[in-house]
């Protein structure tokens, strides 16, 4: 509802009300009390109707003599159930400013950043559903409540959430959008408690919100008091059919440390996962970035985009970072030709080196993972100590070196100070036992995954 329509409506209601009071009052009295134009209907919000007069004495007279008449007439006119408050103008203004000041300091960190829009969000199979759900939040607010978007970091959650807020304000400039990270929510809430503000103020504040966007809800885990508060806010808005959109780095059921009732509330709407972007989406994002920087696509060899999309495929934020680095190198080195693979590789030389180093699995890495998994030191594992526990861990490390790396028995032997026949017999022993012993098999699988995960 727009401000002006609202004012007009209030004025219409007020005129009808005056008419009705006049009909039920001695006309001389009416002129004395209501005739000087100072009596005014200030606001109709929630279930409260606030009237003001200039003088506090007039407010008192009206309150003492006409309150029930005003209340019944107003409720008849509006077919509602308003509670009437009559006050003088200056008390009204003081109170109003106090409420506004409170809501300004409260959540003052929440703001929308205009650079995030639906227009510059590139879609593909990995994020299409999340994108559509976000559009729906704007088009049909309240229909799916809440909308819960989750993904690993850097895949566009904040971008979408901010786009919802920005688009919502374009469509409904008079609405109030609250975008907030759950970290800010926690810290604001703590401030709020410390300031001993009463929870009615907080409720009042949230009743004015038309759409609530909470980013990274996982930071609410473990914060019990804030969760209780959030639960109330959540219910308040859902009951009023106001759209809520939440994002998180994991699905509702994986949010350990979150009260069950919140988890079940979060799962009660539409939950959507953004998965790793496919190559086409990443290339689409790069192309968009190129245009956004006023560059021409023809300046870049196709291989360049492929290279970036391949090497920075798990996180759009990193892809953007790499692209920015490339642009930076272009301004410094001013290549004359098209940007080709050779140029890009030279820009990312450091990354290339680091990757080969970090990505390489060698026997040392296997020793390190196995040792820490059995709470041993690496030197214990490589020593000649033959306690049962250490001997088993050592045999496992040898077995994994053989199965994962296919290292020659001699090479493995050198690391563990054994000859190649000992290595061979240890590897066979573990091989045989793992077939008979499912828990050993499981342990080997876990270790293998762990070793490969560090790739
Ligand atoms: P998250 O909140 O999931 O960690 P962000 O929304 O912050 O991720 O995204 C990281 C960066 O990548 C942002 O700059 C964002 O604009 C950009 N980004 C992510 N996905 C897309 C996409 N599909 N299209 C365009 N830009 C994207
Ligand atoms: Mg984010």
């Amino acid at each position: 509802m727009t401000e002006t329509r609202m004012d007009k409506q209030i004025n219409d209601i007020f005129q009808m009300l005056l008419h009705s009071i006049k009909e039920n009052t001695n006309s001389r009295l009416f002129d004395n009390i209501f005739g000087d134009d100072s009596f005014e209907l200030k606001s109709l919000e929630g279930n409260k109707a606030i009237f003001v007069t200039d003088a506090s004495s007039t407010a008192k007279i009206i309150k003492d003599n006409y309150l029930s008449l005003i209340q019944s007439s107003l409720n008849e006119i509006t077919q509602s159930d308003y509670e009437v408050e009559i006050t003088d103008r200056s008390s009204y203004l003081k109170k109003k400013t106090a409420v506004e000041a409170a809501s300004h300091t409260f959540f003052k960190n929440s703001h929308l950043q205009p650079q995030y829009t639906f227009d510059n969000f590139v879609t593909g199979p990995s994020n299409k559903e999340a994108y559509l759900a976000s559009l729906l939040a704007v088009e049909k607010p309240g229909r799916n409540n809440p909308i819960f978007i989750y993904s690993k970091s850097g895949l566009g959650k904040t971008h979408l959430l901010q786009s919802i807020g920005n688009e919502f304000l374009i469509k409904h400039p008079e609405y109030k959008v609250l975008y907030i990270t759950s970290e800010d929510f926690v810290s604001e809430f703590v401030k709020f408690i410390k300031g001993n503000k009463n929870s009615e103020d907080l409720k009042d504040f949230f009743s004015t919100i038309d759409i609530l966007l909470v980013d990274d809800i996982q930071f609410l885990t473990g914060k019990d008091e804030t969760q209780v508060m959030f639960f109330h806010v959540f219910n308040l808005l859902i009951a009023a059919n106001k759209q809520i959109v939440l994002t998180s780095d994991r699905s509702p059921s994986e949010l350990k440390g979150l009260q069950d009732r919140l988890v079940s509330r979060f799962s009660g709407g539409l939950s959507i996962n953004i998965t790793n972007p496919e190559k086409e989406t990443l290339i689409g994002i790069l192309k968009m970035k190129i245009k956004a920087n006023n560059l021409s696509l023809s300046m870049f060899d196709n291989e360049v985009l492929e290279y970036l999309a391949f090497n920075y495929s798990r996180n759009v934020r990193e892809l953007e970072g790499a692209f920015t680095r490339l642009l930076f190198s272009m301004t410094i080195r001013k290549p004359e030709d098209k940007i080709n693979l050779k140029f890009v590789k030279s820009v990312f030389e450091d990354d290339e080196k680091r990757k080969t180093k970090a990505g390489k699995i060698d026997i040392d890495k296997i020793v390190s993972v196995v040792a820490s998994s059995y709470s041993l030191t690496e030197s214990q594992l490589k020593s000649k100590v033959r306690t049962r526990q250490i001997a088993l861990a050592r045999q496992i490390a040898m077995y994994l070196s053989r199965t994962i790396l296919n290292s020659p028995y001699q090479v493995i032997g050198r690391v563990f100070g054994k000859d190649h026949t000992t290595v061979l017999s240890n590897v066979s022993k573990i091989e045989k036992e793992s077939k008979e012993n499912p828990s050993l098999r499981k342990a080997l699988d876990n270790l293998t995954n762990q070793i490969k995960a560090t790739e």
Side-chain angles (χ1 to χ4, degrees):
M1 201 178 279
T2 66
E3 201 67 32
T4 47
R5 217 168 98 202
M6 189 119 163
D7 284 343
K8 185 171 180 306
Q9 253 185 16
I10 288 188
N11 195 39
D12 289 346
I13 292 169
F14 185 57
Q15 293 310 324
M16 285 192 261
L17 181 71
L18 275 185
H19 188 74
S20 156
I21 298 173
K22 196 171 182 176
E23 273 185 352
N24 289 289
T25 319
N26 168 312
S27 68
R28 199 172 50 86
L29 270 181
F30 180 84
D31 286 342
N32 265 334
I33 300 170
F34 299 99
D36 69 358
D37 279 340
S38 90
F39 183 62
E40 194 184 334
L41 172 54
K42 263 292 174 198
S43 85
L44 277 178
E45 266 179 40
N47 66 343
K48 227 174 209 170
I50 305 179
F51 293 84
V52 297
T53 62
D54 278 348
S56 59
S57 55
T58 322
K60 187 169 181 335
I61 294 172
I62 297 178
K63 225 187 312 189
D64 290 346
N65 300 287
Y66 296 96
L67 188 63
S68 61
L69 172 63
I70 292 175
Q71 184 140 347
S72 58
S73 307
L74 176 70
N75 287 335
E76 199 180 314
I77 293 165
T78 57
Q79 291 296 303
S80 313
D81 196 9
Y82 283 110
E83 193 189 314
V84 170
E85 189 181 315
I86 297 165
T87 181
D88 64 282
R89 205 171 296 273
S90 90
S91 324
Y92 169 73
L93 288 176
K94 259 187 232 146
K95 193 169 167 196
K96 183 166 180 273
T97 340
V99 170
E100 278 172 3
S103 49
H104 279 147
T105 50
F106 194 47
F107 293 124
K108 66 173 181 300
N109 293 331
S110 68
H111 48 245
L112 291 173
Q113 293 162 271
Q115 76 266 28
Y116 294 116
T117 64
F118 285 128
D119 283 348
N120 61 19
F121 189 82
V122 176
T123 59
S126 53
N127 59 26
K128 189 93 194 172
E129 280 184 30
Y131 173 80
L132 290 176
S134 303
L135 282 182
L136 216 56
V138 180
E139 298 297 333
K140 309 251 183 262
R143 178 182 281 189
N144 300 286
N145 235 347
I147 294 176
F148 190 103
I149 300 174
Y150 63 100
S151 80
K152 290 191 297 200
S153 163
L155 298 188
K157 298 183 295 293
T158 297
H159 190 132
L160 282 176
L161 207 56
Q162 290 263 340
S163 304
I164 294 173
N166 287 322
E167 185 72 20
F168 206 80
L169 282 181
I170 293 173
K171 284 204 125 168
H172 315 281
E174 74 279 14
Y175 279 9
K176 198 154 158 192
V177 172
L178 179 63
Y179 166 90
I180 189 162
T181 67
S182 73
E183 275 173 307
D184 281 345
F185 189 92
V186 172
S187 69
E188 288 293 335
F189 178 65
V190 169
K191 262 194 264 169
F192 193 81
I193 295 184
K194 283 194 181 146
N196 287 328
K197 296 187 183 165
N198 81 49
S199 65
E200 284 302 310
D201 289 351
L202 204 65
K203 261 199 191 155
D204 282 353
F205 172 77
F206 278 103
S207 342
T208 67
I209 301 292
D210 292 296
I211 180 166
L212 176 66
L213 310 167
V214 188
D215 210 355
D216 290 321
I217 197 85
Q218 71 271 10
F219 293 119
L220 274 193
T221 53
K223 312 274 189 331
D224 280 352
E225 274 188 85
T226 318
Q227 285 182 31
V228 171
M229 170 62 209
F230 190 76
F231 185 69
H232 290 307
V233 167
F234 188 95
N235 289 339
L236 187 80
L237 290 174
I238 298 264
N241 207 27
K242 306 282 180 63
Q243 182 70 54
I244 298 178
V245 188
L246 310 169
T247 73
S248 162
D249 68 352
R250 55 207 103 146
S251 72
S253 59
E254 288 166 322
L255 281 166
K256 299 213 169 62
L258 202 67
Q259 295 167 355
D260 287 349
R261 56 181 188 170
L262 271 180
V263 172
S264 84
R265 287 278 152 155
F266 291 173
S267 322
L270 185 61
S271 296
I272 290 169
N273 185 211
I274 304 180
T275 52
N276 279 347
E278 38 294 302
K279 196 175 91 184
E280 290 69 28
T281 311
L282 294 164
I283 291 187
I285 292 171
L286 287 171
K287 288 185 172 165
M288 185 205 54
K289 295 264 154 204
I290 291 172
K291 286 187 204 137
N293 281 281
N294 287 323
L295 297 170
S296 152
L297 278 180
S298 60
M299 284 171 68
F300 298 84
D301 259 354
N302 246 344
E303 280 178 330
V304 170
L305 305 189
E306 300 260 347
Y307 175 91
L308 290 174
F310 181 79
N311 285 290
Y312 300 91
S313 59
R314 293 187 208 179
N315 182 321
V316 180
R317 190 177 293 117
E318 281 176 14
L319 179 79
E320 285 184 340
F323 181 70
T324 309
R325 229 168 105 194
L326 177 64
L327 290 189
F328 182 69
S329 303
M330 283 163 61
T331 37
I332 304 245
R333 286 163 48 186
K334 300 195 175 41
E336 284 172 9
D337 298 333
K338 247 183 159 183
I339 307 301
N340 55 25
L341 197 56
K342 188 159 162 262
F343 183 85
V344 182
K345 279 198 170 164
S346 71
V347 172
F348 296 102
E349 204 174 10
D350 294 353
D351 279 13
E352 290 273 331
K353 276 194 201 135
R354 211 174 319 123
K355 217 169 47 205
T356 28
K357 203 162 161 227
K360 213 168 128 224
I361 300 177
D362 53 17
I363 299 182
D364 280 344
K365 177 161 281 164
I366 294 176
V367 167
S368 136
V369 172
V370 173
S372 81
S373 145
Y374 285 88
S375 304
L376 302 171
T377 64
E378 292 175 26
S379 45
Q380 278 176 315
L381 207 62
K382 292 181 188 170
S383 71
K384 301 216 178 301
V385 180
R386 304 188 67 164
T387 61
R388 230 178 78 84
Q389 171 82 347
I390 299 181
L392 176 67
R394 190 181 295 129
Q395 289 158 1
I396 286 176
M398 290 184 199
Y399 168 83
L400 293 172
S401 303
R402 180 68 188 171
T403 51
I404 297 176
L405 296 173
N406 203 19
S407 299
Y409 294 116
Q410 271 102 340
V411 173
I412 301 175
R414 236 174 281 140
V415 173
F416 294 93
K418 306 273 185 227
D419 62 37
H420 76 277
T421 48
T422 312
V423 177
L424 175 66
S425 78
N426 281 337
V427 171
S428 318
K429 172 174 169 274
I430 297 292
E431 168 109 58
K432 182 164 169 279
E433 279 177 20
S434 72
K435 287 189 182 131
E436 292 152 8
N437 179 348
S439 68
L440 176 62
R441 181 70 261 152
K442 199 155 176 243
L444 293 174
D445 287 345
N446 282 340
L447 285 166
T448 306
N449 287 338
Q450 232 175 300
I451 290 160
K452 288 195 168 160
T454 54
E455 207 171 353

